[in-house]
Every structure is written in C-alpha cells, then in structure tokens.
Amino acid sequence: MISDLFLNKLVDEIYKFVYKTNLEKYPINLHEPDLSNTKSLTYLKDCIDKNWVSSGGEWVKKFENKLCEYTKSKYAIALCNGTNALRLALQTIGVKKGDEVLVTPATFVATANAISHLGAIPHFVDIEPKTLALSASKLDERLEQISHRSNGYVFNKNTQNKISAILPVHVFGMPADFGALEVISKKWSIPIVEDSAEALGSWYKKNENFTHCGLLGEIGILSFNGNKIITTGGGGAILTNNKVFADKARHLSTTAKIPHPWEYFHDQIGWNDRMPNINAAIGFAQLEKIKNILEIKKRIYSRYIQILSDFDFVEIISPPKNSVSNNWLITLRILVEDDNHAISIRDKLLSMAHKKNILLRPIWKSLHNLPMYLNSPRGDLSEAEFQEKRLINLPSSTKLLS
Ligand SMILES: *Cc1c(COP(=O)(O)O)cnc(C)c1O
C-alpha cells in the first residue's frame, strides 16, 4: 500500500507549484480563461461603437478567417457552442434519426448528447490506454461482431440501425492515434467526425504533414467554452476542407434561409447556431496570442513531469508520437494494478487537494454508465472502466506560469 504520507507529499508538490506566484489563496481551478494581454476590450468596444453585437458581424468573419489561417482549414464556421457544432457536423455528413454513431464513452457528456439531439443513438466502443481515445482495434472488432453490409452501408444486425459515423475525441487535447482509426473508417466506409472541442492547437502527422485536429476526418469541431484553450465566453466552430459540407453546415446553422435582400424564404427546418459578434471579437483577440498560450502550456506540462518524477506510482499522460498536443488538461495516471487500491489513492488525492483549495477532478464518469445511456448499444468497455478509476486532471491554466 502507498502511505498517506506519501500521497500528502505529492499533493504538497502540486501545491508549491500552483501557489508559487500567488500568495493569495484563491481556489485553483483546472482551466481558467486568460484574456490578459489581449486586445479583447478594444475589439469589444468596436462592436459596441458600431452597434453590431449579434450574429453576422464583421468580427465573426474575421474570427473565422483567423481560424482558417491558424488551422490551415479551408472553411471555418463560427457557432454558438461546441455541442451545437458537433450536432450540426453530424447532421451535415448525413447522420439521421435512428442511426447509430460509434463513439468513445471516455469523454464529456456533450459528445453523446450531440448524437442524441439528432435522435441518433450513441454506440459505445472501448478506448486505448495510451491516448484514452477510441481504440481502432476495438472498433474493428466490434464492427466484425455486429455489422452487416447492404447497398454500400453498414448496419447493426442486432438493431437493424444504420451505422452512419465514427466519432473519436481528442481527449484533453491529446491527438488520438488517427492513422489507425482512418484505416478502419476506410475498411468499413464509415465517415469520421472529430470532436476536437479540446484540441485547438493540437496536430497529428498525416501523410508527412502536421494536420490540425478536426481536419483529419471529414469534418470536425472546436469549442470555445470558458474552460477551453481559448474562449469566446461560449462558442464553437466547425472545421472542414469540404466545400459541400461547409455550405450545408452554414445554411443549416442560419435557419436554412436562402440569402435574399428582403425575403424570408427557408427551404427546410434549420437551426440558429450562429456565434454573436461580441463573442467572436474576444475569440479573435486570444487567437492572436495562441502561440504564446501554447508555449506556456508546454512549460506547465514539463513542470508536472518534473514535479511527479519522484513518485513512481503515477505518470503524466503524454501524446502519441507524430503528434503535438496543446496540453489542454494535464492528466495524472495512477499506476496501480488493483482496482480498489487505485480508487482509494484517487479519492485520497482528490480530497487532500480539495482541502488545500486545489480543485483537482477525476476524469468524467464513463458515459455508458449515466442513466440516459444505460440502454445504449456497446461493445466490451473494460479499458474505459479500468482507466476511469485511475485518472486525475491537474490544474493547467496559463496563469500558473504567466
Ligand atoms: C467542451 C466539450 C464539448 C462541448 O462544447 P461546449 O462549447 O461546452 O458546448 C464537447 N465535447 C468535448 C470533448 C468537450 O470537452
């Protein structure tokens, strides 16, 4: 057994780091916005001076262009949040009511909710331990077990539902091992929609080039919620290199209105998913600083590696080779084989840290065990359940080092 004294020492080391420069003992959250040293106020004032605060403004266009420039995406569509962006991305590639989407259970609840919001069904497949992302081999294994092909499509032979997308998540900003997932996507002709909500600034090497997360599959999304790497207050975006998808997503996000100087003609039931101008203005201001933000995040990651190097029962999770992580949430893994022992260490670390006002969090509860998803189809999820007991997110805000 690992003694409480030793666990306390670990929490003390984290404490010394997170409170080093801040004598005032305010609670340390996992990830806080950082709008300092940006031109946010100037750009916000511009929106107010020009009396254009809502959707369709010039800062939305500027923000979209800046996103394209940074990620090298051909198209970016700024939206009101990441959840809606994901629902819209799924809808854009053709996911329909009653379809199944193969998805990881080790993610924020919004990933599965976005599927459900379309009336589609999350079908949970296990993760791989290194990146915590959807496992290509488990995906293939599951498809071999349950699928039958008809007219070029894949159906779940137990439910007769069409399987219309694969939805991997780049967990905590760490790129999934996309090469392996792509092989499975091609083998079964099922398109990939990427939940890159946490992965602005993360890249994966594809065909010799580093490709931004969200642009590895057919279509991907970002979130700019308050806790993400940059924030627009609330917001999200679709990234894609496919013009047909970009046009369709923009149309659906804009109440499916046919552009016209005065006429209200809508050709289907659309959504109002657009990002307001004031949100885009502060997003633009942070995007101007993204390189600086990522540099600080890298240093925080290195510091944690150093801080925890004396504790051989834990490790810091690191991205797969051929990838660059934005280090959004730095994550500690407890390297203890026995489940109960691991849970006991996890809970003690959480409680010791909270007593010191450091608000550590365990990874999200695996989605397949939440009440609304108890009846969702699923393969073997033993790795997700194993990892769930062993992961703790560490405070990762840029203000820790800036
Ligand atoms: C934050 C997040 C979302 C949802 O984004 P919102 O902007 O909060 O709606 C979706 N998926 C993942 C993995 C996220 O972390």
Side-chain angles (χ1 to χ4, degrees):
M1 288 293 271
I2 289 154
S3 78
D4 287 7
L5 219 69
F6 211 45
L7 296 179
N8 240 319
K9 188 162 177 305
L10 193 160
V11 173
D12 269 347
E13 291 296 325
I14 296 173
Y15 182 89
K16 278 191 261 172
F17 170 48
V18 300
Y19 280 118
K20 181 179 55 84
T21 50
N22 310 291
L23 296 173
E24 201 188 332
K25 299 287 186 268
Y26 51 79
I28 299 286
N29 292 298
L30 284 190
H31 209 277
E32 296 182 21
D34 185 358
L35 279 67
S36 59
N37 305 314
T38 69
K39 294 190 179 146
S40 300
L41 270 181
T42 313
Y43 301 160
L44 261 180
K45 186 170 180 302
D46 181 70
C47 298
I48 294 164
D49 288 347
K50 292 185 177 147
N51 205 20
W52 199 308
V53 293
S54 195
S55 47
E58 105 185 52
W59 285 100
V60 176
K61 202 77 256 110
K62 283 188 183 192
F63 183 53
E64 288 176 344
N65 290 342
K66 192 103 184 144
L67 278 174
C68 287
E69 180 192 314
Y70 176 69
T71 62
K72 304 191 169 71
S73 182
K74 282 201 184 132
Y75 308 97
I77 301 156
L79 300 162
C80 57
N81 61 53
T83 311
N84 285 25
L86 189 55
R87 186 220 72 238
L88 183 60
L90 290 163
Q91 190 177 19
T92 298
I93 63 128
V95 174
K96 296 206 161 54
K97 186 175 169 188
D99 289 357
E100 292 179 19
V101 175
L102 299 169
V103 65
T104 168
T107 179
F108 181 53
V109 69
T111 310
N113 287 352
I115 300 168
S116 308
H117 291 162
L118 283 176
I121 300 156
H123 183 140
F124 296 109
V125 174
D126 212 358
I127 62 170
E128 54 114 359
K130 165 104 182 119
T131 61
L132 308 175
L134 199 58
S135 154
S137 58
K138 291 293 191 81
L139 196 60
D140 194 39
E141 200 179 291
R142 185 65 183 156
L143 280 162
E144 289 287 355
Q145 263 173 15
I146 56 144
S147 65
H148 79 90
R149 295 190 195 231
S150 171
N151 296 327
Y153 295 113
V154 175
F155 293 82
N156 178 340
K157 66 184 174 203
N158 303 324
T159 59
Q160 309 307 321
N161 297 325
K162 184 177 162 195
I163 299 178
S164 53
I166 297 170
L167 175 36
V169 178
H170 303 289
V171 184
F172 308 136
M174 241 177 337
D177 189 1
F178 202 85
L181 289 171
E182 199 175 24
V183 171
I184 308 305
S185 159
K186 291 221 166 92
K187 173 177 167 187
W188 295 92
S189 312
I190 307 175
I192 295 182
V193 176
E194 285 168 86
D195 183 343
S196 321
E198 304 169 356
L200 178 66
S202 298
W203 304 76
Y204 182 88
K205 198 169 181 184
K206 181 178 166 174
N207 312 328
E208 297 310 302
N209 293 316
F210 277 96
T211 302
H212 194 276
C213 287
L215 293 166
L216 295 157
E218 319 294 325
I219 190 167
I221 68 106
L222 300 169
S223 164
F224 309 112
N225 190 39
N227 60 344
K228 298 297 199 303
I229 199 112
I230 70 166
T231 184
T232 54
I238 279 182
L239 297 181
T240 183
N241 288 324
N242 181 317
K243 183 173 191 316
V244 174
F245 289 163
D247 290 346
K248 185 172 170 190
R250 194 176 290 284
H251 184 59
L252 284 169
S253 75
T254 316
T255 56
K257 183 178 183 294
I258 305 292
H260 189 278
W262 56 82
E263 208 168 69
Y264 290 104
F265 186 79
H266 309 259
D267 63 357
Q268 54 187 304
I269 301 176
W271 304 76
N272 177 11
D273 284 329
R274 290 175 299 173
M275 177 183 282
N277 208 33
I278 48 176
N279 300 74
I282 66 168
F284 185 92
Q286 287 159 85
L287 210 43
E288 289 183 315
K289 292 277 186 178
I290 184 83
K291 295 223 163 91
N292 181 245
I293 293 170
L294 293 171
E295 191 49 48
I296 297 169
K297 301 284 295 178
K298 206 158 111 189
R299 278 163 44 214
I300 296 173
Y301 168 79
S302 304
R303 280 297 296 277
Y304 275 121
I305 296 263
Q306 200 182 14
I307 287 169
L308 297 180
S309 62
D310 287 342
F311 301 88
D312 61 1
F313 64 100
V314 295
E315 70 172 357
I316 294 293
I317 295 197
S318 48
K321 62 175 185 330
N322 293 330
S323 79
V324 179
S325 171
N326 64 4
N327 298 302
W328 175 55
L329 283 190
I330 311 218
T331 305
L332 166 160
R333 172 157 41 206
I334 299 161
L335 301 169
V336 165
E337 204 47 40
D338 179 72
D339 274 355
N340 290 329
H341 190 196
I343 292 170
S344 143
I345 292 173
R346 180 194 65 184
D347 293 350
K348 279 181 190 166
L349 287 175
L350 290 167
S351 128
M352 287 168 179
H354 277 244
K355 281 199 189 105
K356 289 179 148 54
N357 234 351
I358 308 168
L359 308 183
L360 300 188
R361 303 282 291 269
I363 189 175
W364 313 281
K365 259 201 191 317
S366 199
L367 301 190
H368 67 286
N369 289 324
L370 296 182
M372 60 285 195
Y373 294 123
L374 284 176
N375 295 322
S376 301
R378 66 200 56 200
D380 163 57
L381 298 173
S382 47
E383 189 65 48
E385 300 214 331
F386 182 87
Q387 294 298 329
E388 186 185 359
K389 303 176 175 85
R390 290 164 173 80
L391 299 170
I392 295 179
N393 295 130
L394 301 171
S396 309
S397 311
T398 49
K399 73 169 193 192
L400 295 175
L401 278 187
S402 56

